[in-house]
Amino acid sequence: MSDNVVKFERRPKPKPPRQTPPWLKRLLTIVAVVAFFIAAFAYFTLKGGPAGPGF
């Protein structure tokens, strides 16, 4: 037999994109908000208070 034969095959189905579960999205949002407040607290603690006229 000859190996010079075209074989027709179905294309493999593409995998659907990975979906982030809702609970993980909510957790990431909460972690980001907490990290923002911690960063703001650390900034103002190290800076010595809010900056502005009259303070």
Side-chain angles (χ1 to χ4, degrees):
M1 265 222 267
S2 173
D3 290 332
N4 193 10
V5 176
V6 176
K7 295 182 181 179
F8 294 97
E9 297 178 355
R10 290 184 182 254
R11 290 185 184 178
K13 289 185 179 179
K15 293 182 181 179
R18 295 177 63 178
Q19 296 289 333
T20 306
W23 63 269
L24 185 58
K25 288 182 182 179
R26 193 173 304 124
L27 179 67
L28 290 174
T29 304
I30 292 170
V31 168
V33 169
V34 170
F36 171 77
F37 281 112
I38 290 173
F41 176 77
Y43 172 76
F44 285 116
T45 301
L46 296 175
K47 180 89 172 166
F55 290 109

